[in-house]
Amino acid sequence: MQPAAAGTQHTGVSAGTFAAGTVNVYQGAPAAEGGATAGPRCNVPVLYDRPFIGRADLLSAIAETLDDPQRPSVVALHGPPGVGKTELAHEYARRHAGRYPAGCFTLDAGGDTPVKLAEIGQLLFGPEPFRDLSMVDRCKAAFHRLTRSAVLLVYDNVRSADAIRPWLPPHGTPCHVVMTSVLDPWDGLCPAFPVELLDRDDSVALVASIAGEDACRDSDLPLVDWAGGLPVQLVPAAAALKRARRRGRAGAAKLRLEPETQNSFRPVYELLPPDSRLILQTAALRNGMALTADDLRQDMADATGWDEDSFDRHLDACLDLHLLESGGETLRMHQLIAAFLRDQPTPDGHGETLARIRQAQWRRLVDSATAFTAAPNRMELAAGMLGFLTDPALWDGCSVTGSALEYRIVYRAFSETGQFGIAQLWAERSVHAVEQEGAEEGVDHESLSVSLHQIGNCLFNQGRFAEAQPWFEKAVDAKQKGDIHQRINQQDLGASLHQIGSCLFHQGRFAEVQPWFEKAVDAKQKGDIHQRINHQSLGTSQYQIGNCLYRQGRFAEAQPWFEKAVDAGQKGDIHQRIDHESLGFSLEAVGHCLSRLGREEEAQEWFERAKGLEPG
């Protein structure tokens, strides 16, 4: 990558459409730990011959902080949406790519788990270290290796300090992280730098870099004042001005920059013909950080009848005005533009077409979620699912309504990727759908109980045990009413009872815990509606009873419960599959009880049995 020419100004946002391609840093070079696949080691969009204007002080501050071995390996860039945080992080990556021979990668960090870590890990270290791991475990394993690698990670759109904390490298590691977020402050977590609005001089320079110096001869350039220092507003408006000037029109007048349109993309949007607007409306129902032209082409294929040339022509019109940005293999749409588009009326004459597109997109999301939950360690399936909007309320706003079953399918997919905050939204929506579906014929309590339990699981996995408990209690109440044939699935009832005990346990309310695990054991021993017993699940509850007694120093009483857990674990689940790790814990627990009772020789036998289960 070529350094910026001396005297070149720089800005916090790209001054031009990204051409196809990414920065290929050390393409084909050896991996940090060997075994990497050859290929591009960077997905940061290229600026090519476009300048980057301003922000020099922030770029220096980021570099100085990450250069200092006594300071954290992480910095945060925070500020309002559209101010240019992401482009500033990308510019740091472009300028300092040589510091990171393992690569520079930007990834969406808006959920609980940065799922793209799994893909980056496989690129750098090959597939073998991650074989047979779940998606969350792949991300954890990749992150552990990346912390020992000279790699830069740009975590974009961080929405929670608590959620991102486990994914930050320790001080002094060669792995560096630059985060972007609207959160403020970041005190105590890492050095944080506010990204301010562009001043007037930089705003004018940005417009000039796009629309030409002639466009900025008027010191009272209207669109500079209209955009208010937000690059996300300036860039499309300047692109529209450039196009208008090429056609011999007065660009500023053409944009109709009325006061009521301030902080709106409408003046630029209205320059597009309805067919081109349809592409933007379609893109607005996808994840703006994970778009591809193929995704949009597929979404529109059956509804528009466009040939490839027509699609490309309309896509280019959107790219020319920077309402979409091209960054190599992917496209990007800023969240502010997407929010604006979702509030716009359907383009003239395209009501039925857009409705068909949105239904097809919904069907594709559900199908992607179904495929991923069937094979939750396949990265390409995870990527396909995460390419859509994650908030069910946004789908409602597009007149798309799913069934309770469909909402639960999407919940499961997001749960498999560790996105429990997002999954919770879908579980809540499934509860509402069950209640709506049962408004006339009565609520299916079995179906309702599944959704209630799912909400509890989401809260539990976020460590919000006190909030999770009442949802599991509601699930128990619903399960005790049975399905539409009044049949009670005792196995599922036992699972919710067990989770109530687990919530109390994690709240330190040990005196209240044991009865709930005992109720769970009683229910699980009766099996599901076909009387099939999941002995693995049963053993988990028996183990927890033993654990409660052990923590109270009642070792002699705890021992037989651990032995019961061993016996159940050896029988496996309903398919006779044995969880050897769980079985090993139960064997060791028996040994610890015997050891505490002074029966060391017997204890050693149990420890040896547990050791024999260890792999390798």
Side-chain angles (χ1 to χ4, degrees), residues 93-115:
R94 288 187 285 261
R95 294 191 182 193
H96 297 276
R99 296 181 54 183
Y100 304 104
C104 301
F105 301 94
T106 181
L107 59 159
D108 184 3
D112 298 321
T113 303
V115 178

Short mmCIF file of all heavy atoms in Angstrom, two decimals, residues 93-115:
data_model
loop_
_atom_site.label_atom_id
_atom_site.label_comp_id
_atom_site.label_asym_id
_atom_site.label_seq_id
_atom_site.Cartn_x
_atom_site.Cartn_y
_atom_site.Cartn_z
N ALA A 93 -5.78 1.24 9.82
CA ALA A 93 -5.36 -0.07 9.32
C ALA A 93 -4.59 0.06 8.02
O ALA A 93 -3.56 -0.61 7.82
CB ALA A 93 -6.59 -0.96 9.12
N ARG A 94 -5.06 0.92 7.11
CA ARG A 94 -4.38 1.07 5.83
C ARG A 94 -2.96 1.64 6.01
O ARG A 94 -2.03 1.20 5.36
CB ARG A 94 -5.21 1.97 4.91
CG ARG A 94 -6.48 1.31 4.38
CD ARG A 94 -7.16 2.18 3.35
NE ARG A 94 -7.85 3.29 3.94
CZ ARG A 94 -9.18 3.33 4.19
NH1 ARG A 94 -9.93 2.27 3.91
NH2 ARG A 94 -9.73 4.39 4.72
N ARG A 95 -2.83 2.61 6.91
CA ARG A 95 -1.53 3.25 7.09
C ARG A 95 -0.52 2.37 7.84
O ARG A 95 0.68 2.53 7.67
CB ARG A 95 -1.70 4.57 7.84
CG ARG A 95 -2.47 5.62 7.06
CD ARG A 95 -2.36 6.96 7.73
NE ARG A 95 -3.15 7.96 7.01
CZ ARG A 95 -3.04 9.28 7.22
NH1 ARG A 95 -2.17 9.73 8.11
NH2 ARG A 95 -3.79 10.12 6.55
N HIS A 96 -1.03 1.49 8.68
CA HIS A 96 -0.13 0.72 9.55
C HIS A 96 -0.18 -0.77 9.26
O HIS A 96 0.17 -1.59 10.10
CB HIS A 96 -0.48 0.99 11.02
CG HIS A 96 -0.30 2.42 11.43
ND1 HIS A 96 0.91 2.94 11.81
CD2 HIS A 96 -1.18 3.45 11.47
CE1 HIS A 96 0.77 4.22 12.10
NE2 HIS A 96 -0.49 4.56 11.89
N ALA A 97 -0.60 -1.11 8.04
CA ALA A 97 -0.73 -2.53 7.69
C ALA A 97 0.59 -3.28 7.87
O ALA A 97 0.60 -4.47 8.23
CB ALA A 97 -1.22 -2.67 6.25
N GLY A 98 1.72 -2.61 7.63
CA GLY A 98 3.01 -3.27 7.76
C GLY A 98 3.33 -3.74 9.16
O GLY A 98 4.17 -4.62 9.36
N ARG A 99 2.64 -3.17 10.15
CA ARG A 99 2.86 -3.60 11.54
C ARG A 99 2.19 -4.93 11.84
O ARG A 99 2.46 -5.53 12.88
CB ARG A 99 2.28 -2.55 12.50
CG ARG A 99 2.93 -1.21 12.48
CD ARG A 99 2.29 -0.29 13.49
NE ARG A 99 2.28 -0.87 14.83
CZ ARG A 99 1.73 -0.27 15.88
NH1 ARG A 99 1.12 0.89 15.75
NH2 ARG A 99 1.76 -0.85 17.07
N TYR A 100 1.29 -5.35 10.97
CA TYR A 100 0.44 -6.51 11.26
C TYR A 100 0.59 -7.55 10.15
O TYR A 100 -0.29 -7.69 9.29
CB TYR A 100 -1.01 -6.07 11.41
CG TYR A 100 -1.19 -4.99 12.46
CD1 TYR A 100 -1.40 -3.65 12.09
CD2 TYR A 100 -1.12 -5.29 13.81
CE1 TYR A 100 -1.55 -2.66 13.04
CE2 TYR A 100 -1.27 -4.30 14.78
CZ TYR A 100 -1.48 -2.99 14.39
OH TYR A 100 -1.62 -2.02 15.35
N PRO A 101 1.69 -8.29 10.14
CA PRO A 101 1.91 -9.26 9.06
C PRO A 101 0.87 -10.37 9.03
O PRO A 101 0.69 -11.00 8.00
CB PRO A 101 3.32 -9.80 9.36
CG PRO A 101 3.57 -9.48 10.79
CD PRO A 101 2.84 -8.21 11.07
N ALA A 102 0.20 -10.63 10.15
CA ALA A 102 -0.85 -11.65 10.13
C ALA A 102 -2.12 -11.13 9.49
O ALA A 102 -2.98 -11.92 9.11
CB ALA A 102 -1.15 -12.14 11.56
N GLY A 103 -2.27 -9.79 9.37
CA GLY A 103 -3.42 -9.25 8.65
C GLY A 103 -4.16 -8.18 9.42
O GLY A 103 -3.96 -7.96 10.61
N CYS A 104 -5.04 -7.48 8.70
CA CYS A 104 -5.92 -6.46 9.25
C CYS A 104 -7.35 -6.82 8.85
O CYS A 104 -7.62 -6.98 7.66
CB CYS A 104 -5.56 -5.07 8.73
SG CYS A 104 -3.88 -4.54 9.08
N PHE A 105 -8.24 -6.91 9.83
CA PHE A 105 -9.59 -7.38 9.53
C PHE A 105 -10.61 -6.50 10.24
O PHE A 105 -10.46 -6.16 11.41
CB PHE A 105 -9.77 -8.83 10.00
CG PHE A 105 -8.81 -9.79 9.36
CD1 PHE A 105 -7.62 -10.11 9.98
CD2 PHE A 105 -9.10 -10.35 8.12
CE1 PHE A 105 -6.72 -10.99 9.39
CE2 PHE A 105 -8.20 -11.22 7.52
CZ PHE A 105 -7.01 -11.54 8.16
N THR A 106 -11.67 -6.16 9.52
CA THR A 106 -12.79 -5.43 10.12
C THR A 106 -13.98 -6.38 10.22
O THR A 106 -14.24 -7.16 9.29
CB THR A 106 -13.14 -4.19 9.29
OG1 THR A 106 -14.22 -3.49 9.92
CG2 THR A 106 -13.52 -4.53 7.87
N LEU A 107 -14.68 -6.34 11.35
CA LEU A 107 -15.79 -7.25 11.56
C LEU A 107 -16.85 -6.60 12.43
O LEU A 107 -16.57 -5.74 13.26
CB LEU A 107 -15.32 -8.56 12.20
CG LEU A 107 -14.60 -8.53 13.55
CD1 LEU A 107 -14.69 -9.90 14.21
CD2 LEU A 107 -13.12 -8.17 13.40
N ASP A 108 -18.08 -7.02 12.21
CA ASP A 108 -19.23 -6.50 12.94
C ASP A 108 -19.19 -7.03 14.37
O ASP A 108 -19.13 -8.23 14.59
CB ASP A 108 -20.52 -6.94 12.25
CG ASP A 108 -21.77 -6.37 12.89
OD1 ASP A 108 -21.65 -5.57 13.84
OD2 ASP A 108 -22.88 -6.72 12.44
N ALA A 109 -19.21 -6.12 15.34
CA ALA A 109 -19.19 -6.52 16.75
C ALA A 109 -20.44 -6.04 17.46
O ALA A 109 -20.42 -5.75 18.66
CB ALA A 109 -17.94 -5.98 17.44
N GLY A 110 -21.55 -5.96 16.74
CA GLY A 110 -22.78 -5.47 17.32
C GLY A 110 -23.52 -6.46 18.18
O GLY A 110 -24.48 -6.10 18.87
N GLY A 111 -23.13 -7.74 18.16
CA GLY A 111 -23.80 -8.74 18.98
C GLY A 111 -22.94 -9.18 20.15
O GLY A 111 -21.98 -8.52 20.54
N ASP A 112 -23.28 -10.33 20.73
CA ASP A 112 -22.54 -10.84 21.88
C ASP A 112 -21.27 -11.56 21.47
O ASP A 112 -20.35 -11.68 22.28
CB ASP A 112 -23.43 -11.81 22.68
CG ASP A 112 -24.67 -11.14 23.23
OD1 ASP A 112 -24.55 -9.98 23.67
OD2 ASP A 112 -25.75 -11.75 23.21
N THR A 113 -21.22 -12.07 20.25
CA THR A 113 -20.06 -12.81 19.77
C THR A 113 -19.65 -12.29 18.40
O THR A 113 -20.47 -12.27 17.49
CB THR A 113 -20.37 -14.32 19.65
OG1 THR A 113 -20.82 -14.82 20.91
CG2 THR A 113 -19.14 -15.10 19.21
N PRO A 114 -18.40 -11.83 18.21
CA PRO A 114 -17.95 -11.44 16.87
C PRO A 114 -17.73 -12.69 16.01
O PRO A 114 -16.66 -13.28 15.96
CB PRO A 114 -16.61 -10.73 17.15
CG PRO A 114 -16.55 -10.49 18.63
CD PRO A 114 -17.36 -11.59 19.23
N VAL A 115 -18.78 -13.11 15.33
CA VAL A 115 -18.80 -14.41 14.67
C VAL A 115 -17.73 -14.53 13.60
O VAL A 115 -17.19 -15.61 13.34
CB VAL A 115 -20.21 -14.69 14.09
CG1 VAL A 115 -20.24 -16.01 13.36
CG2 VAL A 115 -21.24 -14.68 15.21
#
